[in-house]
Amino acid sequence: MSFLKVDHVSKLYPVLDDKAKRGESFVVFRDVTFEIRQGEFLTMIGHSGCGKSTLLNIIAGFDQSSTGGVILEGREITKPGLDRMVVFQSFALMPWLTAFDNVRVAVRQAHPDWPPEQIRDWTQKYIDMMNLHGAEQKRPAFLSGGMRQRVGLARAFAVEPKVLLLDEPFAQIDALTRGGIQEELVRMWNATRNTVFMVTHDVDEAILLSDRIALMTNGPEAELAEIIEVTVPRPRTRAELIDSPDYVRIRNHILHFLVKGAKKSKHTGKDAPAAPAIESKPELQPTT
Amino acid sequence: MALRPSWKDRFGPYLLSLFILGLFLLVWEGATRPPRFDAKGKTEDQLTTMEFNGDIVKDAAGHYLWNPDKVKGIPGPMKVFEKARTELGEAFVKKGTNDHGIGLLVGYTIKRFMAGFLAGSVVAILLGVLIGLSKPLFLALNPFIQVLKPISPLAWMPLLLYSVKDPFWTAILVVFMASLWPTVANTAFGVNSIRKDYLHVAALLEMSYLRRLFTVVLPAAAPAIIAGLRISFGSALVAVVPAEMLLGELGAGYLTWIEWNNLDISGVIFAILVVGFVGYALDFAFGKLAALFTYTEV
Ligand SMILES: Nc1ncnc2c1ncn2[C@@H]1O[C@H](COP(=O)(O)OP(=O)(O)OP(=O)(O)O)[C@@H](O)[C@H]1O
Ligand SMILES: [Mg+2]
């Protein structure tokens, strides 16, 4: 039995704005099927509008699939819960709470039976792990974007969910800060070995963090095209990454897919376990 | 270059305020100076009769003047100041069933205002949250709120007086009505437009209904609720004075009316000033309180 199974999930919306097409439906994506192993870090890449956020929201329980379903440890997901924590692109921190209290609220919900001191200590542990020491009593408005997302990550990790869902968690953070916080995420993940499903536009980020990368074709009617194994050995750092031949190969493959392959609506080699042959395309400049 | 704001920057505005006040008092004094009595063309008999009637008085030098206590028209600042001094001197004295000191009257008004405003606000916030949490209810009730909101709270008074038959409670209910609608409307709107993110987090954390209400919904809607309370506060403050006047309930508004009945115009002016200062003090206190519940959005 798989840990998390996304099983033939499609998402359709009724067409409301176009009178000629009344009664028809707008298919965001169709028949998406994949599995995530326990402790695995799986990232989904695809162009804007292919439904990555929609899929993540379905896994989170915020949204319902039109057909198919998501099964976590043998149980179908119907609503949000503490076993799946989301790290939001918009951070979603409560602006009226301090950084510390934003994390503490989550810990208290996850462990209602704990005494206050234990909740406090546990919160502090995750605050420290995310290098937030000294910022505990600041409200989100007085934190930088990078700091805010650290709080978001601390909140999610502190709950020790079965699955972490990251929706473009670093998209709103400037490129210089992003590198540091990505490496913190790597460290955190190495320490906890959480199961992670992440959505991103950033190819380098995906390779740095993931065990496997799922590629989606363009929407509407997006499909899962293939899943690539990231064979770069761990532990990975951004500095070492650029010298790895596997990194170059995988990066080119993904960029090639995004530029050319994603347009095909019919997929090939769904759920392919291994990365295809090396495709070195010198004309593809790294553009992230 | 000075780091601290210069003396002029810091105190200039206050000095200007003082200057404007002084100017205003001067103009007021000048405009309300009693006319000089002109004894020319009047016979000795006429003058004696006028003096007997108290219309004119003789000063130390033996010249006739208009009796300052009988002069009609708007009293000058000095007279109002005198009135204020005597009234404030006996601020907490009860001279009769209907003749209470100004301090007591202001106390009654504040109590009446607080009772109506607090009750109205609690009901309004509860109602607003209930409406705001449910989209269909919000859409269904919004037209009613929009119609009820612009009705002057005083317009309710005859109906209220007729139904409760007691001026004491009617006055409080008028304040209650005045504080209701803006808070209901703003709370419902605020709750209804809470960012989805916050509700998602609450759902992820499996918060109970009450916990969600107190840790997410109310704080998230707090800025909108406070904005509503502020409007309600103003409207209740504006309602309490005429309600007292019309219902004859003892209070700062009642004082205005009594002084008018006494034809004591300096008393009326004094009462108006009292109302102004009481309103300012209450609004100041409210602002301080509201500051505790605000935060910066991100
Ligand atoms: N309520 C809705 N009604 C109709 N269509 C919707 C609705 N919500 C989303 N969509 C459509 O679903 C598609 C997928 O949206 P989604 O936000 O999941 O894309 P995404 O892959 O996350 O894009 P991005 O990378 O820009 O975040 C979009 O084309 C969007 O227009
Ligand atoms: Mg998205």
Side-chain angles (χ1 to χ4, degrees):
Chain A
M1 196 178 67
S2 57
F3 186 67
L4 180 80
K5 185 170 170 72
V6 175
D7 194 5
H8 296 283
V9 172
S10 310
K11 182 70 188 180
L12 290 76
Y13 285 107
V15 178
L16 297 174
D17 46 359
D18 190 346
K19 277 203 176 127
K21 288 187 180 173
R22 183 163 288 172
E24 294 178 32
S25 33
F26 174 79
V27 182
V28 182
F29 53 78
R30 174 167 284 158
D31 234 6
V32 174
T33 300
F34 63 91
E35 291 176 11
I36 305 180
R37 294 186 289 270
Q38 183 155 22
E40 187 181 29
F41 198 123
L42 188 136
T43 298
M44 178 169 274
I45 291 190
H47 282 288
S48 187
C50 73
K52 306 179 296 293
S53 298
T54 308
L55 181 62
L56 187 133
N57 285 341
I58 290 171
I59 300 176
F62 300 148
D63 203 345
Q64 255 66 50
S65 60
S66 306
T67 64
V70 182
I71 292 142
L72 175 62
E73 286 193 315
R75 275 205 223 143
E76 180 159 9
I77 285 168
T78 54
K79 59 178 192 329
L82 283 157
D83 53 354
R84 285 154 287 136
M85 282 301 286
V86 179
V87 176
F88 299 81
Q89 179 179 349
S90 57
F91 316 126
L93 302 175
M94 315 276 172
W96 54 92
L97 296 179
T98 60
F100 192 85
D101 284 342
N102 265 288
V103 181
R104 177 156 60 184
V105 163
V107 177
R108 195 169 46 198
Q109 286 300 117
H111 304 284
D113 49 332
W114 281 7
E117 309 81 62
Q118 196 177 355
I119 291 175
R120 196 194 54 219
D121 293 347
W122 189 263
T123 304
Q124 189 66 52
K125 185 176 121 187
Y126 281 86
I127 289 272
D128 291 343
M129 273 205 257
M130 284 318 295
N131 281 333
L132 282 164
H133 193 77
E136 289 96 335
Q137 297 314 319
K138 289 192 180 145
R139 290 191 177 182
F142 303 99
L143 298 173
S144 66
M147 299 274 262
R148 285 180 203 160
Q149 197 56 298
R150 284 198 177 96
V151 179
L153 285 166
R155 175 173 69 186
F157 274 102
V159 167
E160 298 189 301
K162 290 179 186 155
V163 183
L164 262 173
L165 302 167
L166 315 181
D167 188 356
E168 301 190 38
F170 310 125
Q172 286 201 19
I173 298 168
D174 66 278
L176 287 174
T177 318
R178 199 183 299 156
I181 179 166
Q182 280 167 352
E183 282 183 355
E184 254 151 40
L185 177 58
V186 169
R187 255 193 319 104
M188 197 80 156
W189 182 77
N190 278 331
T192 59
R193 287 289 161 165
N194 261 290
T195 309
V196 182
F197 175 70
M198 181 171 84
V199 158
T200 186
H201 279 128
D202 184 335
V203 178
D204 288 327
E205 180 175 290
I207 300 173
L208 174 72
L209 298 168
S210 322
D211 295 315
R212 289 191 296 155
I213 300 174
L215 302 179
M216 291 287 280
T217 62
N218 289 348
E221 303 214 33
E223 293 182 349
L224 180 62
E226 59 175 314
I227 299 187
I228 304 166
E229 198 88 31
V230 181
T231 46
V232 183
R234 293 188 191 266
R236 302 173 192 153
T237 60
R238 283 180 310 136
E240 291 166 28
L241 206 58
I242 28 182
D243 297 327
S244 157
D246 280 1
Y247 162 76
V248 178
R249 176 179 59 82
I250 292 165
R251 185 173 199 281
N252 281 339
H253 180 81
I254 295 173
L255 288 176
H256 187 241
F257 171 83
L258 289 176
V259 174
K260 298 197 174 144
K263 289 196 191 86
K264 303 191 295 228
S265 70
K266 280 291 153 238
H267 58 274
T268 47
K270 186 160 73 177
D271 241 343
I278 296 172
E279 298 179 48
S280 284
K281 297 278 173 189
E283 75 271 20
L284 272 179
Q285 293 302 312
T287 53
T288 317
Chain B
M1 217 176 65
L3 283 173
R4 281 194 305 162
S6 73
W7 187 89
K8 225 163 117 189
D9 286 340
R10 267 203 294 174
F11 298 108
Y14 300 114
L15 282 179
L16 189 61
S17 291
L18 275 178
F19 176 73
I20 291 171
L21 179 67
L23 201 67
F24 170 72
L25 289 175
L26 267 179
V27 170
W28 182 8
E29 174 67 36
T32 54
R33 268 226 116 92
R36 236 166 352 133
F37 179 69
D38 194 1
K40 233 184 263 163
K42 291 206 166 62
T43 64
E44 199 62 33
D45 266 359
Q46 278 173 318
L47 288 173
T48 320
T49 319
M50 284 176 87
E51 190 180 5
F52 180 74
N53 286 340
D55 291 335
I56 53 176
V57 288
K58 245 190 198 139
D59 68 1
H63 299 296
Y64 281 115
L65 301 169
W66 286 109
N67 182 354
D69 294 330
K70 271 207 143 180
V71 173
K72 296 212 180 66
I74 306 287
M78 287 316 287
K79 279 194 83 175
V80 174
F81 183 70
E82 272 308 312
K83 173 76 181 172
R85 241 189 25 193
T86 43
E87 285 290 346
L88 291 174
E90 47 195 38
F92 295 97
V93 184
K94 263 187 212 179
K95 281 190 279 191
T97 34
N98 276 339
D99 192 0
H100 294 193
I102 180 69
L104 293 169
L105 291 181
V106 166
Y108 303 146
T109 298
I110 291 178
K111 262 193 235 163
R112 178 172 297 125
F113 172 81
M114 285 311 221
F117 177 70
L118 287 181
S121 299
V122 168
V123 171
I125 291 173
L126 288 176
L127 207 63
V129 168
L130 221 62
I131 297 171
L133 281 177
S134 140
K135 198 102 199 174
L137 206 57
F138 179 71
L139 292 175
L141 291 181
N142 201 36
F144 295 101
I145 295 170
Q146 296 308 331
V147 170
L148 290 168
K149 205 168 62 164
I151 298 175
S152 159
L154 290 170
W156 294 102
M157 206 177 62
L159 194 61
L160 291 171
L161 187 59
Y162 178 76
S163 9
V164 302
K165 304 208 167 36
D166 177 35
F168 174 81
W169 287 106
T170 305
I172 292 180
L173 278 173
V174 167
V175 178
F176 176 89
M177 288 307 261
S179 18
L180 211 54
W181 305 116
T183 306
V184 170
N186 262 44
T187 306
F189 173 77
V191 169
N192 200 251
S193 49
I194 291 178
R195 261 175 63 187
K196 254 217 159 74
D197 279 356
Y198 304 150
L199 297 176
H200 278 167
V201 171
L204 281 176
L205 297 177
E206 298 178 19
M207 289 186 179
S208 66
Y209 186 84
L210 278 183
R211 162 98 3 125
R212 186 177 308 209
L213 187 64
F214 284 106
T215 51
V216 179
V217 172
L218 285 177
I225 295 176
I226 284 170
L229 286 175
R230 191 132 220 174
I231 304 170
S232 286
F233 193 90
S235 117
L237 207 56
V238 168
V240 69
V241 166
E244 286 173 352
M245 284 169 77
L246 293 170
L247 293 164
E249 284 296 297
L250 286 179
Y254 173 76
L255 177 68
T256 324
W257 193 243
I258 281 296
E259 298 291 10
W260 164 248
N261 282 344
N262 295 345
L263 283 177
D264 184 350
I265 303 300
S266 12
V268 170
I269 294 175
F270 171 65
I272 290 172
L273 287 176
V274 167
V275 169
F277 278 104
V278 168
Y280 174 67
L282 285 173
D283 195 57
F284 183 79
F286 182 82
K288 286 275 171 225
L289 208 65
L292 296 177
F293 293 95
T294 50
Y295 52 82
T296 324
E297 276 283 353
V298 273

